[in-house]
Protein backbone atom coordinates (compact mmCIF):
# COMPACT_ATOMS: atom_id res chain seq x y z
CA UNK A 1 0.00 0.00 0.00
CA UNK A 2 1.30 3.45 -0.89
CA UNK A 3 2.13 5.50 2.20
CA UNK A 4 1.92 9.22 2.81
CA UNK A 5 5.71 9.45 2.60
CA UNK A 6 5.65 7.58 -0.72
CA UNK A 7 3.24 10.19 -2.10
CA UNK A 8 5.36 13.08 -0.85
CA UNK A 9 8.60 11.61 -2.15
CA UNK A 10 7.02 11.10 -5.56
CA UNK A 11 5.69 14.66 -5.62
CA UNK A 12 9.17 15.95 -4.83
CA UNK A 13 10.33 14.16 -7.99
CA UNK A 14 7.50 15.70 -10.00
CA UNK A 15 5.37 12.54 -10.02
CA UNK A 16 1.85 13.27 -8.80
CA UNK A 17 -1.32 11.29 -8.13
CA UNK A 18 -3.53 10.88 -11.21
CA UNK A 19 -5.62 13.95 -12.05
CA UNK A 20 -8.82 11.90 -11.91
CA UNK A 21 -10.86 13.98 -9.47
CA UNK A 22 -10.65 11.31 -6.79
CA UNK A 23 -9.53 11.28 -3.17
CA UNK A 24 -7.03 8.82 -1.69
CA UNK A 25 -7.12 8.06 2.03
CA UNK A 26 -3.91 6.86 3.68
CA UNK A 27 -3.02 6.30 7.35
CA UNK A 28 -1.24 8.96 9.34
CA UNK A 29 2.51 8.59 9.43
CA UNK A 30 2.56 9.66 13.09
CA UNK A 31 -0.05 10.43 15.77
CA UNK A 32 0.73 14.15 15.64
CA UNK A 33 -0.14 14.87 12.02
CA UNK A 34 -3.44 14.44 10.18
CA UNK A 35 -4.79 16.50 7.34
CA UNK A 36 -5.30 16.95 3.62
CA UNK A 37 -2.97 17.36 0.67
CA UNK A 38 -4.52 18.75 -2.51
CA UNK A 39 -2.76 18.16 -5.81
CA UNK A 40 -4.08 18.94 -9.28
CA UNK A 41 -7.48 17.18 -9.50
CA UNK A 42 -6.56 14.69 -6.76
CA UNK A 43 -6.58 14.90 -2.98
CA UNK A 44 -4.92 12.84 -0.28
CA UNK A 45 -6.48 12.67 3.18
CA UNK A 46 -4.12 11.29 5.82
CA UNK A 47 -5.93 10.08 8.88
CA UNK A 48 -6.39 7.03 11.07
CA UNK A 49 -10.15 7.48 10.88
CA UNK A 50 -12.29 5.05 8.89
CA UNK A 51 -11.82 5.81 5.16
CA UNK A 52 -15.52 5.13 4.73
CA UNK A 53 -16.30 8.12 6.91
CA UNK A 54 -14.10 10.32 4.72
CA UNK A 55 -15.80 9.23 1.50
CA UNK A 56 -19.31 9.44 2.96
CA UNK A 57 -18.67 12.94 4.27
CA UNK A 58 -17.26 14.10 0.93
CA UNK A 59 -20.18 12.58 -0.94
CA UNK A 60 -22.62 14.49 1.25
CA UNK A 61 -21.13 17.85 0.26
CA UNK A 62 -22.86 19.69 -2.57
CA UNK A 63 -19.75 21.26 -4.02
CA UNK A 64 -17.15 20.78 -6.72
CA UNK A 65 -15.60 17.37 -6.01
CA UNK A 66 -12.19 18.68 -7.12
CA UNK A 67 -12.23 21.08 -4.16
CA UNK A 68 -14.29 19.09 -1.68
CA UNK A 69 -11.44 18.09 0.65
CA UNK A 70 -10.50 21.76 1.15
CA UNK A 71 -14.10 22.87 1.58
CA UNK A 72 -14.57 24.49 5.03
CA UNK A 73 -17.51 22.17 5.69
CA UNK A 74 -15.37 19.06 5.22
CA UNK A 75 -12.47 20.47 7.23
CA UNK A 76 -14.87 21.42 10.04
CA UNK A 77 -16.32 17.90 10.04
CA UNK A 78 -12.80 16.45 9.99
CA UNK A 79 -11.83 18.55 13.01
CA UNK A 80 -14.97 17.60 14.90
CA UNK A 81 -14.48 13.91 14.12
CA UNK A 82 -10.85 13.89 15.27
CA UNK A 83 -10.93 16.48 18.04
CA UNK A 84 -8.16 18.39 16.29
CA UNK A 85 -7.64 22.07 15.63
CA UNK A 86 -7.30 23.48 12.16
CA UNK A 87 -4.61 25.75 10.83
CA UNK A 88 -4.35 27.80 7.65
CA UNK A 89 -4.55 26.16 4.25
CA UNK A 90 -1.00 26.52 2.99
CA UNK A 91 0.67 26.33 -0.37
CA UNK A 92 3.05 23.37 -0.43
CA UNK A 93 6.44 24.01 -2.04
CA UNK A 94 9.53 21.86 -2.45
CA UNK A 95 13.14 22.57 -3.31
CA UNK A 96 15.96 20.20 -4.17
CA UNK A 97 19.28 20.25 -2.31
CA UNK A 98 22.12 22.37 -3.64
CA UNK A 99 25.82 21.50 -3.50
CA UNK A 100 28.42 23.40 -1.56
CA UNK A 101 28.36 25.54 1.53
CA UNK A 102 25.55 28.03 2.18
CA UNK A 103 26.21 31.49 0.71
CA UNK A 104 25.40 33.10 4.07
CA UNK A 105 27.51 33.02 7.24
CA UNK A 106 24.99 31.13 9.36
CA UNK A 107 25.47 30.76 13.11
CA UNK A 108 23.68 27.79 14.64
CA UNK A 109 21.42 28.58 17.58
CA UNK A 110 22.17 26.25 20.47
CA UNK A 111 19.69 27.74 22.94
CA UNK A 112 16.79 25.29 23.03
CA UNK A 113 14.62 27.99 24.57
CA UNK A 114 14.89 30.27 21.56
CA UNK A 115 11.32 31.29 20.59
CA UNK A 116 11.62 30.01 17.00
CA UNK A 117 12.92 26.64 18.19
CA UNK A 118 10.19 26.33 20.82
CA UNK A 119 7.53 27.13 18.21
CA UNK A 120 8.98 24.74 15.64
CA UNK A 121 9.10 21.84 18.10
CA UNK A 122 5.32 21.93 18.40
CA UNK A 123 5.13 20.75 14.79
CA UNK A 124 8.48 19.21 13.93
CA UNK A 125 11.11 16.85 15.24
CA UNK A 126 14.91 17.13 15.07
CA UNK A 127 14.68 20.91 14.93
CA UNK A 128 17.80 22.94 14.16
CA UNK A 129 18.02 26.71 13.70
CA UNK A 130 20.55 29.24 12.46
CA UNK A 131 20.70 33.01 12.56
CA UNK A 132 22.23 35.87 10.66
CA UNK A 133 21.84 39.57 11.44
CA UNK A 134 18.17 40.25 10.89
CA UNK A 135 16.97 36.70 10.24
CA UNK A 136 16.45 33.15 11.49
CA UNK A 137 16.36 29.90 9.52
CA UNK A 138 14.75 26.72 10.91
CA UNK A 139 14.84 23.12 9.65
CA UNK A 140 13.02 20.14 11.13
CA UNK A 141 11.14 16.97 10.28
CA UNK A 142 7.41 17.44 9.94
CA UNK A 143 4.66 15.58 8.09
CA UNK A 144 5.68 11.97 7.40
CA UNK A 145 9.25 12.81 8.40
CA UNK A 146 9.83 15.13 5.47
CA UNK A 147 12.44 17.86 5.93
CA UNK A 148 10.73 21.24 6.32
CA UNK A 149 12.06 24.80 6.29
CA UNK A 150 10.85 28.10 7.64
CA UNK A 151 12.48 31.51 7.89
CA UNK A 152 11.81 34.76 9.65
CA UNK A 153 13.16 38.20 8.76
CA UNK A 154 13.10 41.21 11.08
CA UNK A 155 10.82 44.01 9.99
CA UNK A 156 13.56 46.60 9.70
CA UNK A 157 15.56 44.59 7.14
CA UNK A 158 12.74 43.43 4.87
CA UNK A 159 12.66 44.14 1.13
CA UNK A 160 16.41 43.52 0.86
CA UNK A 161 16.35 39.88 -0.27
CA UNK A 162 17.34 38.33 3.06
CA UNK A 163 14.38 35.95 3.09
CA UNK A 164 15.34 34.61 -0.33
CA UNK A 165 18.96 34.27 0.78
CA UNK A 166 17.95 32.34 3.91
CA UNK A 167 15.75 29.82 2.13
CA UNK A 168 18.39 29.43 -0.57
CA UNK A 169 20.95 28.71 2.15
CA UNK A 170 18.60 26.03 3.49
CA UNK A 171 18.91 24.13 0.21
CA UNK A 172 22.68 24.00 0.74
CA UNK A 173 22.15 22.53 4.21
CA UNK A 174 19.80 19.81 2.93
CA UNK A 175 20.67 16.41 1.49
CA UNK A 176 17.10 15.60 0.44
CA UNK A 177 14.03 17.47 -0.83
CA UNK A 178 13.18 20.42 1.36
CA UNK A 179 9.55 21.31 1.95
CA UNK A 180 7.90 24.62 2.80
CA UNK A 181 4.36 25.45 3.85
CA UNK A 182 3.43 29.04 3.01
CA UNK A 183 0.16 30.87 3.44
CA UNK A 184 -0.94 31.91 -0.08
CA UNK A 185 -1.79 35.36 1.27
CA UNK A 186 1.81 35.86 2.36
CA UNK A 187 2.86 37.05 -1.08
CA UNK A 188 6.25 38.26 0.11
CA UNK A 189 7.15 34.83 1.46
CA UNK A 190 5.79 33.08 -1.64
CA UNK A 191 7.96 35.28 -3.86
CA UNK A 192 11.03 34.61 -1.70
CA UNK A 193 10.66 30.83 -1.89
CA UNK A 194 9.93 30.83 -5.61
CA UNK A 195 12.89 33.14 -6.30
CA UNK A 196 15.03 30.68 -4.33
CA UNK A 197 14.00 27.84 -6.66
CA UNK A 198 11.22 26.19 -4.67
CA UNK A 199 8.31 25.04 -6.80
CA UNK A 200 4.64 24.85 -5.84
CA UNK A 201 3.25 21.31 -5.89
CA UNK A 202 -0.09 21.61 -4.12
CA UNK A 203 -1.91 22.79 -1.01
CA UNK A 204 -2.03 21.45 2.52
CA UNK A 205 -4.41 21.67 5.47
CA UNK A 206 -2.81 20.33 8.63
CA UNK A 207 -4.94 19.37 11.62
CA UNK A 208 -3.17 19.75 14.94
CA UNK A 209 -3.53 17.27 17.78
CA UNK A 210 -4.82 18.62 21.12
CA UNK A 211 -2.15 19.93 23.45
Amino acid sequence: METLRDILDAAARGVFPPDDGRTTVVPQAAPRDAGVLAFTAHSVVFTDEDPGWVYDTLDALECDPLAATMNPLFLAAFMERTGRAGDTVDAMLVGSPLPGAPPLALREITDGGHPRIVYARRRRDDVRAWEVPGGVLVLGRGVAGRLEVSAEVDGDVRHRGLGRELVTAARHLAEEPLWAQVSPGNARSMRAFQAAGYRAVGAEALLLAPG
Side-chain angles (χ1 to χ4, degrees):
M1 177 181 180
E2 191 174 37
T3 67
L4 177 59
R5 184 57 186 262
D6 292 334
I7 293 168
L8 289 167
D9 286 346
R13 300 191 305 270
V15 179
F16 301 100
D19 53 350
D20 54 9
R22 301 180 66 182
T23 296
T24 298
V25 181
V26 296
Q28 294 168 218
R32 180 185 59 200
D33 301 320
V36 179
L37 308 179
F39 299 101
T40 300
H42 197 108
S43 290
V44 176
V45 176
F46 51 105
T47 180
D48 289 338
E49 296 295 325
D50 178 9
W53 174 85
V54 173
Y55 293 123
D56 289 346
T57 304
L58 291 172
D59 287 343
L61 294 177
E62 296 181 359
C63 65
D64 181 355
L66 296 181
T69 57
M70 289 297 186
N71 187 292
L73 294 176
F74 174 73
L75 294 176
F78 197 179
M79 286 185 281
E80 182 177 3
R81 173 83 174 190
T82 60
R84 291 171 173 265
D87 204 353
T88 58
V89 175
D90 288 324
M92 193 167 45
L93 300 97
V94 65
S96 56
L98 291 174
L104 289 177
L106 300 172
R107 185 180 71 85
E108 186 159 10
I109 300 171
T110 57
D111 176 12
H114 188 282
R116 289 299 300 178
I117 293 178
V118 172
Y119 177 81
R121 282 177 175 162
R122 299 175 190 164
R123 303 177 179 221
R124 299 178 180 131
D125 302 314
D126 303 330
V127 172
R128 296 179 68 186
W130 295 262
E131 62 183 353
V132 298
V136 176
L137 175 67
V138 181
L139 299 182
R141 296 203 173 273
V143 175
R146 70 184 180 188
L147 188 60
E148 298 178 351
V149 57
S150 61
E152 183 174 313
V153 175
D154 294 345
D156 58 351
V157 295
R158 289 177 180 163
H159 309 293
R160 302 179 189 175
L162 181 57
R164 173 182 52 78
E165 292 175 348
L166 284 168
V167 297
T168 299
R171 297 179 61 194
H172 289 272
L173 295 172
E175 297 181 351
E176 62 189 85
L178 187 57
W179 294 83
Q181 300 136 296
V182 182
S183 170
N186 188 347
R188 183 183 298 131
S189 185
M190 284 289 292
R191 289 195 298 268
F193 275 99
Q194 290 177 319
Y198 293 75
R199 62 191 185 280
V201 296
E204 174 181 312
L206 186 63
L207 303 190
L208 307 176

